[in-house]
Amino acid sequence: MFYLQMAMEVTQILLNAQAVDGALRKQAEENLKQFQEQNLPSFLFSLAGELANDDKPAESRKLAGLILKNALDAKEQHRKIEFVQRWLALDPTLKAQIKAFLLRTLSSPSLEARSTASQVIAKVAGIELPHKQWPELIGSLLSNVHQLPAPTRQATLETLGYICEEVSPDVVDQEHVNKILTAVVQGMNSTEENNDVRLAAIKALYNALGFAQANFSNDMERDYIMRIVCEATQSPELKIRRAAFECLVAISSTYYEKLAHYIQDIFNITAKAVKEDEEPVALQAIEFWSSICDEEIDILEEYGGDFSGDSDVPCFYFIKQALSFLVPMLLETLLKQEEDQDQDEGAWNIAMAGGTCLGLVARTVGDDIVTLVMPFIEENITKPDWRQREAATYAFGSILEGPSPDKLVPLVNMALNFMLSALMKDPNNHVKDTTAWTLGRMFEFLHGSALDTPIITPANCQQIITVLVQSMKDVPNVAEKACGALYFLAQGYEDAGSSSSPLTPFFQEIVQALLNVTHREDAGESRLRTAAYEALNEVVRCSNDETAPMVVQLVPVIMLELHQTLENQKLSSDERQNELQGLLCGCLQVIIQKLGSSEPTKYHFMQYADQIMGLFLRVFASRSATAHEEAMLAIGALAYATGADFAKYMTEFYKYLEMGLQNFEDYQVCAITVGVVGDVCRALEEKILPYCDGIMTQLLKDLSSNQLHRSVKPPIFSCFGDIALAIGENFEKYLLYAMPMLQSAAELSAHTANADDDMTEYTNSLRNGILEAYSGIFQGFKGSPKTQLLMPYAPHVLQFLDSLYIEKDMDDVVTKTAIGVLGDLADTLGSNAGHLIQQSVSSKDFLKECLSSDDHLIKESAEWAKLAISRAISF
């Protein structure tokens, strides 16, 4: 009875598992693993008993709770499902004992044990409540919560908060929600003398907001909740004030439409906090207004600013109304910079929060902000104190997105010379950093072919480039912002086409300057190396025919660098080499796409193709997922550029393709590899045939695996379509496997009752993948004697299209693909499918709707479908 002995010694084993002595620790971990595998029920019971026992050492109790929690939940979806099933299958009596231990621990004198138990109870609730088990939990937690000693009250409220975080609102009935909110609001009340209880109550309210729809719709209850939250922002205790403001931020996004009555009071509270309170509280007070901006930006974008009487989500224009008070408050925060904030990547302080909020306000109200901010800029931009100069520059940069070009271009034209000179001559690094950032924003939002009056002219172009190139030699954080400004400068000429870009004469100088940056000793700081490569890629991507010969000359330079990182890696493998390989592969990808897009340049580039492919294949030997992703993407670009000639690389490349498709761990690598299979299919067409058995086998395995991240599944379906298009009627032998997979996925994705936004988005990408597969299969078989093989599947495809049309929640992309599939089906199956098409709902109503769509892509697709259908039916 090995595990009986274990159960008796569990305390010692848990302590040994945290020992300094490695051998002792390893032995204990092994014991715990054996105990869990040999007798899970007894193992979980022992852990819960350990956690509940106040005579045991704090260390063993804490670890017992942690292991218990990890036995109930996992990050990976497939393990999570497994743990849920495992818990549900345990003996009910045993589970009741474990739950009793956990509830008992909530009144332990040890804060750590109470807090751990709270988390474990929530994990159990997360499994049981959706299965209609443990219905008495919330009642028993709340039964006499107000008579309990303060530590137990605190633990009970903490538990309620965790439960609300863990389960979705539909598994808790309204009666229980009311009880939870009553207990929470009572715990928050200023009459509650214990600060720990009050803090736990506020955090619980934060998690329970999603459950409170009905309560927020009731004026009296809402008034009461809002009053208590606002009172808590005035508590003498910093943690409570901060948590109360966090609650207000959450309320602002969850219940925006219910705020009108409170907004004046909230403005007064937040303004006072921003001015006088400590930083953690002031940051949340600013966040409230940023959150309101986010809401209003979303509403105005969705409704295009025209609110006729029938709009569901009216915009209350809170920002517009508060503008003349809000802007001065935010401008004042800009002067509260920290000395070293521009060196610290994760820095976040009042000045940065205020500037971010100012930027959101500018996007919310547009032109109205300009006159409120300009006086502050004019007054401070030349002051001797760096803080004033930096704040003025930051304010200017913040308002460049939102207001109209008509309003901003004249100001930018006046400021541009001043900014360029400040970037060269200001004695302060902060000011230079913000100046370079502001120039980048000017180029991002006010420069490009869409604008009538260019801010960059042949007259000032040379000066701008000279300053940016010089600035790239500055300290890393300033140089990084200069690279960013150059990125947007190049991007503005993207649509210049073959007409000469003003950057053309400086192309060589810019490229050389960026390469020099990548070789700086300190290029690892402030993301400098990455920013330099990003700028280089953009300069290449937006270049024109005139500079193509120089882009060709860049190929051997970047190849040599990639070769060197591979050689260095033989000596030592460090993170930097991996990061560099990723950046260089990314750069080569952009160059390949650029040179491959026109025949004359492609011809010059081809001399390097074999060597480049050799380098990419060597990158797969490194251990870095990022480098793998970039190399894979670059190979996809190479396949596209080389076309049928890519066949000569397949024997060697195939094993890496298979490795990528098997990479469940780094699912991004897997998803990218699936995309590259598509690129290779388009390049090789029927020459891909010898590799299709292996590829299809692996793709079908991926689809049926529960370990693969769901985001990879839509591209796999699209990939079926790419393969079918490439090999045509040879796809016949895969129909038997691929079609049932497509059918079951189609049935799952057709109905999306009450899904959240993420789920709806995922469902639409899944639908699109399925439809792309059908489209590729129909087109692949077109004109082949084997088209009859598709007939048995036609009714199901039409049924899928009908159900999508009836659901009415397709996005534009899916609509376009769906109506295209209808056309492909008619086009390939012709008169054989005529009668089926006539019977389907979608072919009439859906087609009619698409023909009158505003979206020209949908309309185009529908016109082609109409033609194909009329041919199929008229036979």
Side-chain angles (χ1 to χ4, degrees), residues 547-577:
T547 47
M550 290 183 244
V551 177
V552 175
Q553 285 166 8
L554 191 55
V555 178
V557 177
I558 303 290
M559 279 170 59
L560 183 62
E561 302 227 342
L562 183 53
H563 173 75
Q564 276 163 346
T565 67
L566 291 161
E567 291 301 309
N568 293 345
Q569 208 159 26
K570 289 182 184 168
L571 309 172
S572 73
S573 77
D574 65 356
E575 262 311 287
R576 219 196 89 187
Q577 299 298 336

mmCIF file of all heavy atoms in Angstrom, residues 547-577:
data_model
loop_
_atom_site.group_PDB
_atom_site.id
_atom_site.type_symbol
_atom_site.label_atom_id
_atom_site.label_comp_id
_atom_site.label_asym_id
_atom_site.label_seq_id
_atom_site.Cartn_x
_atom_site.Cartn_y
_atom_site.Cartn_z
ATOM 1 N N THR A 547 15.424 52.214 -58.241
ATOM 2 C CA THR A 547 16.403 51.752 -57.242
ATOM 3 C C THR A 547 16.541 50.227 -57.244
ATOM 4 O O THR A 547 17.301 49.685 -56.450
ATOM 5 C CB THR A 547 15.996 52.227 -55.833
ATOM 6 O OG1 THR A 547 14.613 51.954 -55.652
ATOM 7 C CG2 THR A 547 16.242 53.696 -55.658
ATOM 8 N N ALA A 548 15.794 49.535 -58.135
ATOM 9 C CA ALA A 548 15.846 48.065 -58.141
ATOM 10 C C ALA A 548 17.276 47.503 -58.213
ATOM 11 O O ALA A 548 17.602 46.566 -57.480
ATOM 12 C CB ALA A 548 14.989 47.522 -59.284
ATOM 13 N N PRO A 549 18.170 48.068 -59.067
ATOM 14 C CA PRO A 549 19.534 47.513 -59.102
ATOM 15 C C PRO A 549 20.210 47.556 -57.733
ATOM 16 O O PRO A 549 20.980 46.657 -57.378
ATOM 17 C CB PRO A 549 20.263 48.432 -60.092
ATOM 18 C CG PRO A 549 19.193 49.060 -60.923
ATOM 19 C CD PRO A 549 17.976 49.141 -60.067
ATOM 20 N N MET A 550 19.911 48.600 -56.936
ATOM 21 C CA MET A 550 20.532 48.694 -55.607
ATOM 22 C C MET A 550 19.941 47.650 -54.668
ATOM 23 O O MET A 550 20.615 47.145 -53.773
ATOM 24 C CB MET A 550 20.343 50.097 -55.043
ATOM 25 C CG MET A 550 21.160 51.139 -55.786
ATOM 26 S SD MET A 550 20.973 52.759 -55.031
ATOM 27 C CE MET A 550 20.187 53.673 -56.331
ATOM 28 N N VAL A 551 18.647 47.328 -54.853
ATOM 29 C CA VAL A 551 18.042 46.279 -54.023
ATOM 30 C C VAL A 551 18.701 44.935 -54.362
ATOM 31 O O VAL A 551 18.990 44.130 -53.473
ATOM 32 C CB VAL A 551 16.509 46.214 -54.222
ATOM 33 C CG1 VAL A 551 15.912 45.081 -53.403
ATOM 34 C CG2 VAL A 551 15.861 47.539 -53.826
ATOM 35 N N VAL A 552 18.999 44.714 -55.665
ATOM 36 C CA VAL A 552 19.678 43.470 -56.060
ATOM 37 C C VAL A 552 21.043 43.390 -55.370
ATOM 38 O O VAL A 552 21.457 42.332 -54.882
ATOM 39 C CB VAL A 552 19.830 43.376 -57.597
ATOM 40 C CG1 VAL A 552 20.643 42.133 -57.972
ATOM 41 C CG2 VAL A 552 18.462 43.325 -58.262
ATOM 42 N N GLN A 553 21.741 44.534 -55.298
ATOM 43 C CA GLN A 553 23.059 44.528 -54.640
ATOM 44 C C GLN A 553 22.972 44.235 -53.141
ATOM 45 O O GLN A 553 23.942 43.811 -52.527
ATOM 46 C CB GLN A 553 23.743 45.892 -54.828
ATOM 47 C CG GLN A 553 24.287 46.096 -56.226
ATOM 48 C CD GLN A 553 24.642 47.565 -56.487
ATOM 49 O OE1 GLN A 553 24.618 48.403 -55.575
ATOM 50 N NE2 GLN A 553 24.973 47.872 -57.724
ATOM 51 N N LEU A 554 21.801 44.492 -52.585
ATOM 52 C CA LEU A 554 21.621 44.263 -51.143
ATOM 53 C C LEU A 554 21.554 42.761 -50.834
ATOM 54 O O LEU A 554 21.875 42.336 -49.723
ATOM 55 C CB LEU A 554 20.329 44.974 -50.707
ATOM 56 C CG LEU A 554 20.012 45.138 -49.233
ATOM 57 C CD1 LEU A 554 21.150 45.837 -48.500
ATOM 58 C CD2 LEU A 554 18.726 45.947 -49.069
ATOM 59 N N VAL A 555 21.139 41.945 -51.813
ATOM 60 C CA VAL A 555 20.922 40.510 -51.564
ATOM 61 C C VAL A 555 22.167 39.831 -50.999
ATOM 62 O O VAL A 555 22.126 39.243 -49.917
ATOM 63 C CB VAL A 555 20.413 39.793 -52.842
ATOM 64 C CG1 VAL A 555 20.248 38.301 -52.577
ATOM 65 C CG2 VAL A 555 19.104 40.400 -53.309
ATOM 66 N N PRO A 556 23.345 39.921 -51.698
ATOM 67 C CA PRO A 556 24.517 39.219 -51.151
ATOM 68 C C PRO A 556 24.939 39.762 -49.790
ATOM 69 O O PRO A 556 25.478 39.018 -48.970
ATOM 70 C CB PRO A 556 25.608 39.449 -52.209
ATOM 71 C CG PRO A 556 25.119 40.550 -53.083
ATOM 72 C CD PRO A 556 23.632 40.559 -52.998
ATOM 73 N N VAL A 557 24.681 41.054 -49.537
ATOM 74 C CA VAL A 557 25.069 41.649 -48.247
ATOM 75 C C VAL A 557 24.296 40.979 -47.108
ATOM 76 O O VAL A 557 24.869 40.527 -46.107
ATOM 77 C CB VAL A 557 24.771 43.177 -48.247
ATOM 78 C CG1 VAL A 557 25.105 43.787 -46.903
ATOM 79 C CG2 VAL A 557 25.548 43.858 -49.372
ATOM 80 N N ILE A 558 22.957 40.886 -47.281
ATOM 81 C CA ILE A 558 22.136 40.280 -46.222
ATOM 82 C C ILE A 558 22.406 38.780 -46.131
ATOM 83 O O ILE A 558 22.449 38.209 -45.039
ATOM 84 C CB ILE A 558 20.625 40.533 -46.496
ATOM 85 C CG1 ILE A 558 20.335 42.035 -46.621
ATOM 86 C CG2 ILE A 558 19.777 39.927 -45.388
ATOM 87 C CD1 ILE A 558 20.443 42.817 -45.342
ATOM 88 N N MET A 559 22.651 38.133 -47.291
ATOM 89 C CA MET A 559 22.982 36.700 -47.265
ATOM 90 C C MET A 559 24.239 36.437 -46.447
ATOM 91 O O MET A 559 24.290 35.495 -45.657
ATOM 92 C CB MET A 559 23.188 36.184 -48.700
ATOM 93 C CG MET A 559 21.889 35.866 -49.417
ATOM 94 S SD MET A 559 22.169 35.549 -51.179
ATOM 95 C CE MET A 559 23.285 34.167 -51.150
ATOM 96 N N LEU A 560 25.230 37.290 -46.654
ATOM 97 C CA LEU A 560 26.490 37.106 -45.928
ATOM 98 C C LEU A 560 26.244 37.231 -44.415
ATOM 99 O O LEU A 560 26.781 36.458 -43.621
ATOM 100 C CB LEU A 560 27.527 38.135 -46.397
ATOM 101 C CG LEU A 560 28.912 37.988 -45.750
ATOM 102 C CD1 LEU A 560 29.538 36.636 -46.090
ATOM 103 C CD2 LEU A 560 29.849 39.115 -46.205
ATOM 104 N N GLU A 561 25.413 38.199 -44.044
ATOM 105 C CA GLU A 561 25.131 38.372 -42.604
ATOM 106 C C GLU A 561 24.436 37.133 -42.044
ATOM 107 O O GLU A 561 24.741 36.672 -40.947
ATOM 108 C CB GLU A 561 24.246 39.600 -42.384
ATOM 109 C CG GLU A 561 24.862 40.873 -42.930
ATOM 110 C CD GLU A 561 24.802 42.037 -41.949
ATOM 111 O OE1 GLU A 561 24.010 41.976 -40.990
ATOM 112 O OE2 GLU A 561 25.568 42.992 -42.152
ATOM 113 N N LEU A 562 23.486 36.590 -42.804
ATOM 114 C CA LEU A 562 22.768 35.398 -42.339
ATOM 115 C C LEU A 562 23.757 34.231 -42.229
ATOM 116 O O LEU A 562 23.744 33.476 -41.251
ATOM 117 C CB LEU A 562 21.618 35.055 -43.301
ATOM 118 C CG LEU A 562 20.733 33.872 -42.919
ATOM 119 C CD1 LEU A 562 20.179 34.014 -41.500
ATOM 120 C CD2 LEU A 562 19.563 33.731 -43.898
ATOM 121 N N HIS A 563 24.636 34.117 -43.212
ATOM 122 C CA HIS A 563 25.658 33.066 -43.191
ATOM 123 C C HIS A 563 26.511 33.196 -41.924
ATOM 124 O O HIS A 563 26.816 32.204 -41.247
ATOM 125 C CB HIS A 563 26.533 33.184 -44.450
ATOM 126 C CG HIS A 563 27.720 32.257 -44.449
ATOM 127 N ND1 HIS A 563 27.600 30.907 -44.683
ATOM 128 C CD2 HIS A 563 29.036 32.490 -44.208
ATOM 129 C CE1 HIS A 563 28.800 30.350 -44.592
ATOM 130 N NE2 HIS A 563 29.691 31.285 -44.312
ATOM 131 N N GLN A 564 26.886 34.437 -41.588
ATOM 132 C CA GLN A 564 27.736 34.636 -40.399
ATOM 133 C C GLN A 564 27.016 34.225 -39.108
ATOM 134 O O GLN A 564 27.621 33.616 -38.236
ATOM 135 C CB GLN A 564 28.194 36.098 -40.319
ATOM 136 C CG GLN A 564 29.422 36.316 -41.184
ATOM 137 C CD GLN A 564 29.688 37.792 -41.478
ATOM 138 O OE1 GLN A 564 28.838 38.651 -41.255
ATOM 139 N NE2 GLN A 564 30.870 38.079 -41.993
ATOM 140 N N THR A 565 25.710 34.550 -39.011
ATOM 141 C CA THR A 565 25.015 34.149 -37.763
ATOM 142 C C THR A 565 24.969 32.622 -37.669
ATOM 143 O O THR A 565 25.057 32.064 -36.589
ATOM 144 C CB THR A 565 23.554 34.666 -37.685
ATOM 145 O OG1 THR A 565 22.777 34.008 -38.690
ATOM 146 C CG2 THR A 565 23.449 36.140 -37.841
ATOM 147 N N LEU A 566 24.832 31.944 -38.815
ATOM 148 C CA LEU A 566 24.790 30.476 -38.785
ATOM 149 C C LEU A 566 26.147 29.901 -38.378
ATOM 150 O O LEU A 566 26.227 28.918 -37.643
ATOM 151 C CB LEU A 566 24.356 29.929 -40.155
ATOM 152 C CG LEU A 566 22.887 30.227 -40.515
ATOM 153 C CD1 LEU A 566 22.647 30.096 -42.017
ATOM 154 C CD2 LEU A 566 21.933 29.315 -39.744
ATOM 155 N N GLU A 567 27.217 30.554 -38.847
ATOM 156 C CA GLU A 567 28.570 30.099 -38.454
ATOM 157 C C GLU A 567 28.796 30.356 -36.962
ATOM 158 O O GLU A 567 29.312 29.503 -36.251
ATOM 159 C CB GLU A 567 29.645 30.821 -39.282
ATOM 160 C CG GLU A 567 29.669 30.433 -40.758
ATOM 161 C CD GLU A 567 29.906 28.940 -40.973
ATOM 162 O OE1 GLU A 567 30.872 28.390 -40.398
ATOM 163 O OE2 GLU A 567 29.123 28.305 -41.710
ATOM 164 N N ASN A 568 28.384 31.549 -36.508
ATOM 165 C CA ASN A 568 28.575 31.888 -35.082
ATOM 166 C C ASN A 568 27.832 30.910 -34.189
ATOM 167 O O ASN A 568 28.240 30.617 -33.076
ATOM 168 C CB ASN A 568 28.047 33.295 -34.771
ATOM 169 C CG ASN A 568 28.861 34.357 -35.466
ATOM 170 O OD1 ASN A 568 29.955 34.088 -35.947
ATOM 171 N ND2 ASN A 568 28.324 35.570 -35.528
ATOM 172 N N GLN A 569 26.702 30.426 -34.704
ATOM 173 C CA GLN A 569 25.875 29.554 -33.875
ATOM 174 C C GLN A 569 26.566 28.227 -33.616
ATOM 175 O O GLN A 569 26.317 27.570 -32.611
ATOM 176 C CB GLN A 569 24.553 29.306 -34.589
ATOM 177 C CG GLN A 569 23.457 29.041 -33.586
ATOM 178 C CD GLN A 569 22.097 29.305 -34.192
ATOM 179 O OE1 GLN A 569 21.905 29.222 -35.382
ATOM 180 N NE2 GLN A 569 21.158 29.637 -33.362
ATOM 181 N N LYS A 570 27.466 27.839 -34.528
ATOM 182 C CA LYS A 570 28.208 26.595 -34.303
ATOM 183 C C LYS A 570 29.067 26.748 -33.042
ATOM 184 O O LYS A 570 29.307 25.797 -32.322
ATOM 185 C CB LYS A 570 29.125 26.306 -35.499
ATOM 186 C CG LYS A 570 28.369 25.878 -36.749
ATOM 187 C CD LYS A 570 29.374 25.584 -37.849
ATOM 188 C CE LYS A 570 28.687 25.248 -39.163
ATOM 189 N NZ LYS A 570 29.643 25.241 -40.276
ATOM 190 N N LEU A 571 29.548 27.972 -32.816
ATOM 191 C CA LEU A 571 30.456 28.210 -31.690
ATOM 192 C C LEU A 571 29.656 28.345 -30.396
ATOM 193 O O LEU A 571 30.004 27.787 -29.373
ATOM 194 C CB LEU A 571 31.277 29.481 -31.929
ATOM 195 C CG LEU A 571 31.991 29.539 -33.286
ATOM 196 C CD1 LEU A 571 32.607 30.912 -33.515
ATOM 197 C CD2 LEU A 571 33.067 28.462 -33.364
ATOM 198 N N SER A 572 28.560 29.124 -30.455
ATOM 199 C CA SER A 572 27.763 29.284 -29.235
ATOM 200 C C SER A 572 26.349 29.614 -29.666
ATOM 201 O O SER A 572 26.149 30.372 -30.615
ATOM 202 C CB SER A 572 28.311 30.437 -28.402
ATOM 203 O OG SER A 572 27.966 31.658 -29.028
ATOM 204 N N SER A 573 25.383 29.027 -28.964
ATOM 205 C CA SER A 573 24.011 29.380 -29.369
ATOM 206 C C SER A 573 23.487 30.383 -28.349
ATOM 207 O O SER A 573 23.348 30.058 -27.169
ATOM 208 C CB SER A 573 23.131 28.142 -29.389
ATOM 209 O OG SER A 573 22.776 27.783 -28.086
ATOM 210 N N ASP A 574 23.274 31.589 -28.760
ATOM 211 C CA ASP A 574 22.667 32.542 -27.832
ATOM 212 C C ASP A 574 21.425 33.150 -28.477
ATOM 213 O O ASP A 574 21.230 33.090 -29.694
ATOM 214 C CB ASP A 574 23.666 33.628 -27.393
ATOM 215 C CG ASP A 574 24.082 34.509 -28.563
ATOM 216 O OD1 ASP A 574 23.665 34.224 -29.695
ATOM 217 O OD2 ASP A 574 24.825 35.482 -28.328
ATOM 218 N N GLU A 575 20.619 33.748 -27.627
ATOM 219 C CA GLU A 575 19.347 34.344 -28.061
ATOM 220 C C GLU A 575 19.568 35.330 -29.203
ATOM 221 O O GLU A 575 18.787 35.408 -30.125
ATOM 222 C CB GLU A 575 18.712 35.108 -26.880
ATOM 223 C CG GLU A 575 17.649 34.315 -26.159
ATOM 224 C CD GLU A 575 16.626 33.698 -27.099
ATOM 225 O OE1 GLU A 575 15.793 34.426 -27.645
ATOM 226 O OE2 GLU A 575 16.660 32.461 -27.313
ATOM 227 N N ARG A 576 20.664 36.099 -29.106
ATOM 228 C CA ARG A 576 20.877 37.191 -30.068
ATOM 229 C C ARG A 576 20.983 36.647 -31.492
ATOM 230 O O ARG A 576 20.439 37.222 -32.423
ATOM 231 C CB ARG A 576 22.130 37.970 -29.690
ATOM 232 C CG ARG A 576 21.979 39.453 -29.903
ATOM 233 C CD ARG A 576 23.303 40.166 -29.910
ATOM 234 N NE ARG A 576 23.850 40.214 -31.257
ATOM 235 C CZ ARG A 576 25.068 40.659 -31.539
ATOM 236 N NH1 ARG A 576 25.854 41.059 -30.567
ATOM 237 N NH2 ARG A 576 25.507 40.710 -32.781
ATOM 238 N N GLN A 577 21.699 35.505 -31.641
ATOM 239 C CA GLN A 577 21.858 34.935 -32.986
ATOM 240 C C GLN A 577 20.488 34.541 -33.551
ATOM 241 O O GLN A 577 20.189 34.770 -34.717
ATOM 242 C CB GLN A 577 22.772 33.701 -32.953
ATOM 243 C CG GLN A 577 24.183 33.973 -32.467
ATOM 244 C CD GLN A 577 24.932 34.957 -33.371
ATOM 245 O OE1 GLN A 577 24.630 35.126 -34.533
ATOM 246 N NE2 GLN A 577 25.922 35.626 -32.796
#
